[in-house]
């Protein structure tokens, strides 16, 4: 059993990742605002973090750096979902993200990616592994 924390910066797809995770029986907590990340990470120790955004950039980099810094075990998996083509992602971001899924996306694939990576298995096709 593991917890996945979801932060949705993309209002068009809010709720989709959490719904898909819960449909796959994965405990998921949706955070409504970035200010709650540090507390959630320190108190709940999630195993996976899904960041749903539109165009990943500096804000997302800062968020992921914060999550990685508060991960006590260093085993936090970070799955980034966004609209930016893979080749246009900032290199600094790629170095911190375990997997990237480009929109439009089948949200069940996001949930399956979390499950597969937590269990040290290969993710579904179309998921780009970055670390």
């Amino acid at each position: 059993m593991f917890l996945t924390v979801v932060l949705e910066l993309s209002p068009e797809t809010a709720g989709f990742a959490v719904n898909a995770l819960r449909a796959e029986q994965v405990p998921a907590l949706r955070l409504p605002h970035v200010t709650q990340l540090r507390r959630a990470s320190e108190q709940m120790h999630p195993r996976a973090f899904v960041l749903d955004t539109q165009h990943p950039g500096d804000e997302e980099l800062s968020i992921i750096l914060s999550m990685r810094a508060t991960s006590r075990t260093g085993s936090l998996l970070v799955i980034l979902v966004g609209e930016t083509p893979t080749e246009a992602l900032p290199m600094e971001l790629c170095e911190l993200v375990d997997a990237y899924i480009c929109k439009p996306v089948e949200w069940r694939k996001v949930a399956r990616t979390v499950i597969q990576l937590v269990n040290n298995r290969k993710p579904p096709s179309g998921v780009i592994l970055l670390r």
Side-chain angles (χ1 to χ4, degrees), residues 45-58:
H45 311 293
R47 177 68 176 93
F49 174 54
V50 176
L51 179 56
D52 175 20
T53 187
Q54 290 175 315
H55 301 288
D58 290 341

Side-chain angles (χ1 to χ4, degrees), residues 15-91:
F16 294 169
V18 170
N19 291 341
L21 286 160
R22 289 181 179 163
E24 294 290 327
Q25 307 301 311
V26 174
L29 172 68
R30 177 179 180 225
L31 298 179
H33 196 271
V34 69
T35 58
Q36 298 170 331
L37 275 177
R38 181 171 294 278
R39 175 177 268 175
S41 182
E42 290 172 349
Q43 293 181 359
M44 295 180 218
H45 311 293
R47 177 68 176 93
F49 174 54
V50 176
L51 179 56
D52 175 20
T53 187
Q54 290 175 315
H55 301 288
D58 290 341
E59 180 180 13
E60 289 76 11
L61 179 62
S62 175
I63 291 167
I64 293 169
L65 279 170
S66 173
M67 287 297 288
R68 290 260 184 234
T70 56
S71 174
R72 293 192 320 190
T73 63
S75 62
L76 179 71
L77 292 168
V78 177
I79 293 88
L80 179 64
V81 181
E83 296 175 7
T84 301
T86 309
E87 58 276 359
L89 289 173
M91 184 55 68

